[in-house]
Amino acid sequence: GSDHFHLEVGLSGGVDSVVLLHVLTQLQPQLGFKLSAVHVNHQLQAPAADWAVFCQDLCHAWQVPLRVEVVDVVQQQRLGVEAAARAARYQVYANTVAQAVVLAHHADDQMETAFLGWLRGGGIRAMAAMPAWRRLSVHASEPWLWRPLLTVNKRDLLEYAQQWNLAHVEDPSNSDETYLRNWLRQQILPNMLQQRPELSHKILAGVEQMQRELAVLEEIQAQDWLFVHKNDVF
């Protein structure tokens, strides 16, 4: 019935989101939630149509309803192509009928995002990286964004894909990343973690700590704002 909690997986066709969808199809019979997927075709690369077909075939085989959304990525002056593509993608997510859109960001993504925030001179919000749960916008009626894999590393996802013999496409998001993120992904973080593997736990614990601190700060901010409004401080 319609009373089931509905999860919609953001499916790029890359290994991370294919693994995520597979895990949820495995859990669905016992947990009884409603499951569907969404694929966003950004039309930015030649094989984009093939990726959409791959996702359609996969979802057909696994009996998961899929919506394919084609977007025009309009590049504003301030937004690079990648940021514009992300904005278009999240707009599609916001239009879901599901209660939550589930994304496949993993621990390695989380570390990269935290470092990126730091390297770009961001504050606590940037360095707190990606929350596991957040509303897609400020409205309480909006769907949630859920990232269940933030503590799972890429190596484990690849291993899972191998064990289950899961086909996937070369994830489009890997090629259109910013130079800085690629440099972190290919050079800096692997070098660092090769020397000191235990640092990944420290970094992720630090990110979690910042998320808790950020939540407290936002609460204080909201209370201050109420006080200002009530007492006509301006």
Side-chain angles (χ1 to χ4, degrees):
S2 61
D3 52 349
H4 283 320
F5 197 79
H6 180 179
L7 298 174
E8 183 174 64
V9 173
L11 183 67
S12 68
V15 66
D16 307 338
S17 61
V18 167
V19 165
L20 175 61
L21 185 62
H22 187 266
V23 168
L24 289 174
T25 58
Q26 300 291 302
L27 291 172
Q28 191 192 12
Q30 69 220 66
L31 295 180
F33 51 84
K34 189 175 171 192
L35 182 64
S36 65
V38 55
H39 175 76
V40 182
N41 177 355
H42 299 92
Q43 309 183 86
L44 289 174
Q45 281 137 320
D50 301 340
W51 295 329
V53 170
F54 171 85
C55 292
Q56 279 165 326
D57 292 345
L58 184 76
C59 287
H60 182 73
W62 292 354
Q63 297 177 315
V64 174
L66 171 74
R67 66 180 174 121
V68 174
E69 301 282 347
V70 179
V71 294
D72 287 310
V73 176
V74 183
Q75 197 181 344
Q76 281 91 6
Q77 268 131 21
R78 286 187 46 248
L79 287 180
V81 171
E82 199 216 337
R86 182 184 179 279
R89 192 162 61 245
Y90 279 71
Q91 190 49 58
V92 168
Y93 298 156
N95 292 337
T96 186
V97 294
Q99 278 101 341
V101 173
V102 197
L103 301 184
H105 296 118
H106 49 73
D108 301 48
D109 295 326
Q110 184 73 312
M111 280 192 282
E112 282 168 20
T113 305
F115 268 78
L116 260 184
W118 185 42
L119 294 178
R120 288 177 173 157
I124 188 165
R125 181 179 304 252
M127 288 194 279
M130 295 178 278
W133 285 92
R134 76 167 172 86
R135 289 264 183 214
L136 261 159
S137 91
V138 290
H139 304 296
S141 59
E142 285 284 320
W144 287 91
L145 203 55
W146 181 32
R147 299 184 175 99
L149 302 179
L150 287 179
T151 54
V152 181
N153 60 45
K154 179 78 173 194
R155 202 181 55 235
D156 292 339
L157 294 179
L158 291 170
E159 218 167 89
Y160 181 99
Q162 227 176 350
Q163 271 172 351
W164 286 90
N165 204 8
L166 302 179
H168 57 87
V169 297
E170 225 8 87
D171 200 326
S173 68
N174 294 343
S175 52
D176 66 0
E177 292 285 13
T178 57
Y179 171 76
L180 205 53
R181 190 186 280 270
N182 258 336
W183 178 64
L184 277 172
R185 177 178 292 166
Q186 288 156 15
Q187 312 277 324
I188 301 305
L189 290 172
N191 270 331
M192 186 178 75
L193 296 175
Q194 220 171 359
Q195 307 288 317
R196 303 280 300 275
E198 76 282 0
L199 284 180
S200 71
H201 298 294
K202 298 244 168 74
I203 294 163
L204 292 169
V207 167
E208 241 171 79
Q209 177 70 16
M210 278 191 265
Q211 289 188 358
R212 282 195 294 273
E213 289 167 7
L214 183 61
V216 172
L217 282 176
E218 282 173 344
E219 228 168 277
I220 293 169
Q221 217 175 352
Q223 285 164 355
D224 286 351
W225 193 235
L226 275 177
F227 175 81
V228 166
H229 269 275
K230 265 205 207 92
N231 298 288
D232 268 338
V233 174
F234 293 133

